[in-house]
Amino acid sequence: MKRGHLLAFVLTMAFAPLAWPFCGFYVAKADTKLFNRASQVVIARAEDRTVLTMANDFQGEPREFAVVIPVPTFIGRDQIHVGDKAHIDHLDAYTAPRLVEYFDPDPCRVMMLMERSAAAPASAPPSADAAAKSLGVTIEARYTVGEYDILILSAEQSDGLETWLTDNGYQLPAGASRVLGSYIRQGMRFFVARVNLAEQAKLGFSYLRPLQVAYESPKFMLPIRLGTLNADGPQELFVYTLTPKGRVETVNYRTVRLPTGMDIPIFVREEFGDFYRALFDEQVRREQMRAVFLEYAWDMNWCDPCAADPLSSEELEALGVHWLDDGRPGVVPMPRPVPPGRLVPPQPQPRNVFVTRLHLRYTADTFPDDLVFQETGDRTNFQGRYVLRHPWTGKADCDGARQYRAALPARLEHEAQTLANLTGWDIATVREKIGPDRLRQPAPQPGPWWRKIWPDAGPR
Amino acid sequence: MGRATTAPQTRWERAGVEARITHRLARALAADARHYQIAILAALLAYAVGVLGAPIAPATVLVAVTVALTTQAVATALLARRAGATTTSAPAFDFRSPLISALSLSLLLRTDTLVVVALGALVAIAGKFLIRVRGKHLFNPTNLAIVVLLLAVPEHAWVSPGQWGESTVVAFALACAGGLVLHRSERADITITFLVAWTVIVIGRGLWLGDPLAVGAHRLTSGALLIFAFFMISDPRSTPDSRAGRIVLAVLVALGAALVEYGLWRRNGLFLSLAACSMLVPLIDRWLPGPRHHWRRPGPASPLTADRSPDR
């Protein structure tokens, strides 16, 4: 049976990454309960030069927002920048797990091809405020960048820092002192950001834009330990890395590839977000929440199939890719119309940017240590890709069609089992959704009686 | 029963054959520490590929093993020719050491091209014959190959130390420790000293930082660390001859690795440190001399494990 012709649909990720925030932790003023459940971080790095972009989907009063992030070096005023959330959304869409649709051809004839494409999710959040004074801790610098008031702190003792933060109205989660102390001894500084309400009003943004920090340090790591302190349950983190050589992996945790490439039932099209979340839940459960998942690894010049266009050079630079050549051609989005009969063709561009998307769910127990990364020379492309194959529903009655129909229930059953296995969903429910009728062997077609003894005897 | 010894018929006979096979296998494993090592490495490789889904292609293992064995065969043949007719002094081909090197290399080295694997196996074995001081090779073969590749072609060679998972590491540690007990290996001292020194450094640093013990414990559960401790630093052919010398080397390697990992914040501290410290071994041997190691099995010789010296 010749299957599959072309993808019609690349559904982007119906899944807007929950909520975001950070590797740091939220510190609330007063008793507001704040959780940082999920974060998105983009790390652009070549040699030791690193640009960290942190997006957050903080859902509280802007004046309640504050974040403390350990950074490896002193950060000057011009090393801090406020980025554009749209770039991260674009990167998210580009690297998102995707659904691909194929339509089975008429088993009696050659099929026509179709194609379409898809859209990305949207999300928007609010903002916040604060002010600060010194008390026993060195405020190395104080900046206002965009809508943020930023302090760079260093401290001799964690108690001092904790006292200072508490005195200044920050509410620290239990156990913060110990973790702060560890970072202090490692010579790290603290980047404290709060929202400047006046600036925010002047700028007119209704949400908090991503903060970006540029620094040069051999430490290719992401401090996640503070973030586990005030979290109520496991947290979600998406790390996108942009590097010149190849795929990035964690060196102190297993990096596991998300299962990919399976055929799954058609109904998932309507609930792809649920599917992806269930799939991820199930994989996390199987790895006992001790692995980092690779969701995407690709040369930034192309995609196949594209969940969104590759990022333009301007967008990449905005996200911290500082090694692009100056003489390059400008924007190089993928040509969208896909030639029939093949997937999006690779069109190598002179941009050596490799994107890796890592996704993890963590608690202090399962991820006790900060994430440490390394860039590898592996440029093998990888994507989370799930396939829908629409059965052919024509009426024709040739031998091919009969065989096709006879084989279909087994195929649908296999898809049902794949789905149940990937997501942990109940197989009976899955079968119910597919439609029990379709899973049943079709009643024998009334045909000439001799077909029973000579099944292949057709006209020659 | 005048039956010819063809296929065993009764249950008892079958059980007897199984017992004989098991017994032979056990004897082979016990006969030479290297047999046990080969068995552990092969099992780990199978587990890494089959269960953990490690990206180790069968071709990688095949290339590593073929190149390592071929290099060893060619080098021993060349040496034999040079030694002339005096066959007593000519080294015989031994498959065990190159096989261990090839398996360790397959487990540790990650690359995007088979050429690098072949190069690694070649460097490992050739280095053993070419870089010698006073009749003893300077570097552990796998260590040399990894360090050379990491430094020479960093864009095509890397080590993935995090890819083992904690349960694997625990089981692997038990198997390795079992090997030490089984063979009462004279080189266990360097493995144990190194592991103690490294644990003291990692846990000590954690205590100084005020980290919970879980952080240090997590850092110590690394498959790469165990391969390093049990199969690399313990290589009797490149470690100091005396026990005191080996203890000195183990501590130096641990300190060097800590400097790389926590001082310079670079990766692969263990491998780099061992390669650097190996260059001090001739000095350590002069300072703290001891009897030279030769692969030898305790008890009656079998054709597989007969002592050969000078071995390589």
Side-chain angles (χ1 to χ4, degrees):
Chain A
M1 177 174 49
K2 275 168 262 119
R3 267 214 197 145
H5 267 112
L6 218 272
L7 82 129
F9 249 133
V10 179
L11 290 181
T12 311
M13 181 88 184
F15 151 88
L18 318 160
W20 313 340
F22 281 43
C23 37
F25 61 90
Y26 286 119
V27 273
K29 289 198 128 187
D31 279 321
T32 320
K33 278 251 180 224
L34 296 171
F35 305 112
N36 45 340
R37 287 205 160 274
S39 326
Q40 275 182 309
V41 177
V42 184
I43 306 174
R45 180 175 165 105
E47 306 295 332
D48 288 345
R49 298 177 178 176
T50 311
V51 177
L52 202 62
T53 305
M54 296 157 291
N56 78 85
D57 187 17
F58 176 72
Q59 302 285 356
E61 277 296 304
R63 88 180 91 83
E64 304 284 354
F65 175 84
V67 66
V68 178
I69 304 161
V71 281
T73 59
F74 174 75
I75 306 286
R77 163 70 185 82
D78 50 0
Q79 287 169 265
I80 304 171
H81 191 252
V82 178
D84 188 342
K85 181 69 186 1
H87 297 149
I88 297 182
D89 290 344
H90 187 179
L91 188 59
D92 175 31
Y94 173 72
T95 56
R98 58 213 62 204
L99 264 186
V100 208
E101 265 182 332
Y102 293 83
F103 288 86
D104 283 353
D106 180 342
C108 302
R109 289 186 300 144
V110 183
M111 258 303 269
M112 290 191 319
L113 310 173
M114 295 179 289
E115 67 182 64
R116 275 173 279 161
S117 71
S123 59
S127 58
D129 136 83
K133 282 172 280 173
S134 151
L135 241 169
V137 172
T138 316
I139 298 184
E140 297 197 356
R142 190 192 295 262
Y143 318 114
T144 299
V145 182
E147 63 267 45
Y148 295 101
D149 281 331
I150 288 159
L151 301 175
I152 306 295
L153 303 178
S154 68
E156 302 284 311
Q157 296 290 328
S158 58
D159 326 356
L161 182 59
E162 195 183 14
T163 311
W164 184 89
L165 287 168
T166 315
D167 287 355
N168 283 272
Y170 295 88
Q171 203 177 54
L172 293 174
S177 177
R178 194 176 190 187
V179 181
L180 290 173
S182 177
Y183 288 129
I184 290 171
R185 293 231 157 150
Q186 290 178 57
M188 296 181 90
R189 316 293 169 95
F190 297 90
F191 180 104
V192 182
R194 309 173 88 173
V195 174
N196 182 321
L197 285 181
E199 287 296 322
Q200 198 205 13
K202 222 188 294 174
L203 289 163
F205 287 103
S206 59
Y207 60 92
L208 293 179
R209 294 179 295 164
L211 268 168
Q212 296 187 289
V213 189
Y215 58 85
E216 190 162 348
S217 164
K219 294 184 185 181
F220 189 8
M221 52 91 79
L222 201 59
I224 60 169
R225 287 172 56 197
L226 279 173
T228 57
L229 294 175
N230 68 337
D232 178 26
Q235 294 190 87
E236 208 89 359
L237 174 65
F238 292 86
V239 181
Y240 310 86
T241 60
L242 300 166
T243 49
K245 259 164 54 182
R247 183 173 58 81
V248 168
E249 64 184 19
T250 40
V251 292
N252 53 349
Y253 295 98
R254 282 184 72 202
T255 306
V256 176
R257 281 156 201 260
L258 205 65
T260 183
M262 287 84 169
D263 287 8
I264 52 174
I266 311 292
F267 74 83
V268 172
R269 193 176 182 286
E270 308 309 323
E271 40 194 272
F272 186 45
D274 292 342
F275 160 75
Y276 174 56
R277 227 166 303 190
L279 167 81
F280 192 74
D281 288 349
E282 179 67 10
Q283 302 311 315
V284 166
R285 191 185 63 74
R286 284 187 195 170
E287 297 292 341
Q288 286 112 39
M289 213 191 278
R290 290 177 191 278
V292 174
F293 290 88
L294 177 71
E295 292 191 333
Y296 196 74
W298 213 277
D299 186 312
M300 182 47 100
N301 291 312
W302 62 295
C303 38
D304 174 14
C306 294
D309 281 335
L311 274 66
S312 69
S313 299
E314 284 71 16
E315 286 175 300
L316 290 174
E317 284 188 334
L319 285 171
V321 176
H322 51 83
W323 59 90
L324 290 179
D325 292 336
D326 285 334
R328 70 190 181 278
V331 188
V332 276
M334 243 7 252
R336 231 9 171 13
V338 179
R342 61 169 302 185
L343 300 174
V344 179
Q347 298 198 342
Q349 302 291 339
R351 304 185 306 178
N352 53 336
V353 181
F354 197 90
V355 60
T356 308
R357 168 174 163 139
L358 300 169
H359 182 182
L360 62 147
R361 184 171 297 163
Y362 62 101
T363 62
D365 288 341
T366 56
F367 282 82
D369 203 358
D370 291 325
L371 300 177
V372 182
F373 303 101
Q374 75 176 356
E375 185 183 11
T376 72
D378 183 13
R379 293 186 79 92
T380 315
N381 294 322
F382 175 83
Q383 60 183 340
R385 174 174 166 277
Y386 307 94
V387 183
L388 308 182
R389 292 188 191 277
H390 290 270
W392 173 76
T393 52
K395 297 273 180 268
D397 182 41
C398 60
D399 282 343
R402 275 187 295 276
Q403 284 167 16
Y404 175 86
R405 287 197 192 97
L408 200 53
R411 175 181 122 191
L412 296 181
E413 171 62 24
H414 183 253
E415 290 176 0
Q417 287 178 4
T418 306
L419 181 64
N421 184 36
L422 282 177
T423 56
W425 284 346
D426 176 34
I427 183 78
T429 318
V430 172
R431 287 194 186 117
E432 193 59 40
K433 284 189 173 177
I434 293 176
D437 295 348
R438 311 175 79 185
L439 290 165
R440 216 166 285 138
Q441 279 294 335
Q445 295 275 325
W449 58 268
W450 58 85
R451 185 155 287 143
K452 197 175 168 199
I453 46 173
W454 299 323
D456 290 334
R460 310 238 165 195
Chain B
M1 309 236 291
R3 199 161 52 216
T5 53
T6 51
Q9 296 299 312
T10 69
R11 213 170 82 204
W12 300 113
E13 280 173 321
R14 276 200 300 276
V17 169
E18 279 164 21
R20 271 203 300 282
I21 291 173
T22 318
H23 179 65
R24 271 197 199 160
L25 199 65
R27 250 184 38 194
L29 288 180
D32 188 315
R34 288 174 296 176
H35 296 167
Y36 191 83
Q37 292 192 351
I38 290 168
I40 291 186
L41 289 172
L44 190 63
L45 198 56
Y47 183 79
V49 175
V51 180
L52 296 179
I56 306 171
T60 304
V61 184
L62 200 69
V63 167
V65 170
T66 311
V67 173
L69 290 178
T70 311
T71 313
Q72 176 89 8
V74 169
T76 34
L78 286 177
L79 279 182
R81 184 188 289 181
R82 211 169 62 178
T86 56
T87 46
T88 44
S89 70
F93 172 71
D94 188 326
F95 72 95
R96 286 163 293 206
S97 296
L99 190 55
I100 289 175
S101 302
L103 291 175
S104 310
L105 199 63
S106 310
L107 277 168
L108 290 170
L109 179 71
R110 294 284 178 281
T111 172
D112 56 346
T113 155
L114 287 178
V115 178
V116 171
V117 179
L119 194 67
L122 181 71
V123 168
I125 308 300
K128 194 161 75 160
F129 288 90
L130 296 176
I131 311 171
R132 304 175 73 86
V133 177
R134 294 195 299 153
K136 184 168 156 183
H137 54 78
L138 197 55
F139 299 102
N140 166 265
T142 315
N143 182 237
L144 177 70
I146 286 179
V147 169
V148 165
L149 294 176
L150 285 177
L151 297 178
V153 283
E155 60 279 11
H156 296 296
W158 65 96
V159 176
S160 292
Q163 303 307 302
W164 302 96
E166 284 171 22
S167 47
T168 319
V169 171
V170 172
F172 179 39
L174 287 177
C176 292
L180 287 191
V181 174
L182 183 64
H183 292 286
R184 277 172 261 127
S185 167
E186 55 182 305
R187 259 39 177 191
D189 50 16
I190 192 164
T191 298
I192 293 167
T193 312
F194 166 76
L195 283 175
V196 168
W198 185 243
T199 305
V200 166
I201 290 172
V202 170
I203 300 291
R205 178 174 177 274
L207 289 176
W208 176 69
L209 292 175
D211 288 343
L213 211 58
V215 177
H218 174 76
R219 289 187 184 171
L220 292 172
T221 45
S222 150
L225 172 68
L226 291 178
I227 295 180
F228 179 82
F230 286 93
F231 300 98
M232 210 174 258
I233 194 175
S234 59
D235 176 6
R237 301 289 298 141
S238 55
T239 43
D241 294 332
S242 65
R243 169 156 291 177
R246 291 193 290 272
I247 288 173
V248 168
L249 180 72
V251 173
L252 284 179
V253 170
L255 289 173
L259 177 71
V260 175
E261 297 270 338
Y262 300 128
L264 306 174
W265 273 89
R266 299 293 170 189
R267 317 273 23 119
N268 306 309
L270 296 175
F271 304 118
L272 295 171
S273 176
L274 177 59
C277 294
S278 291
M279 292 190 252
L280 299 175
V281 170
L283 296 178
I284 295 175
D285 274 343
R286 182 174 291 182
W287 172 39
L288 301 161
R292 180 66 54 89
H293 173 86
H294 295 295
W295 281 114
R296 179 177 306 141
R297 58 164 297 218
S302 85
L304 254 186
T305 56
D307 185 22
R308 298 172 177 88
S309 58
D311 65 0
R312 300 266 163 178

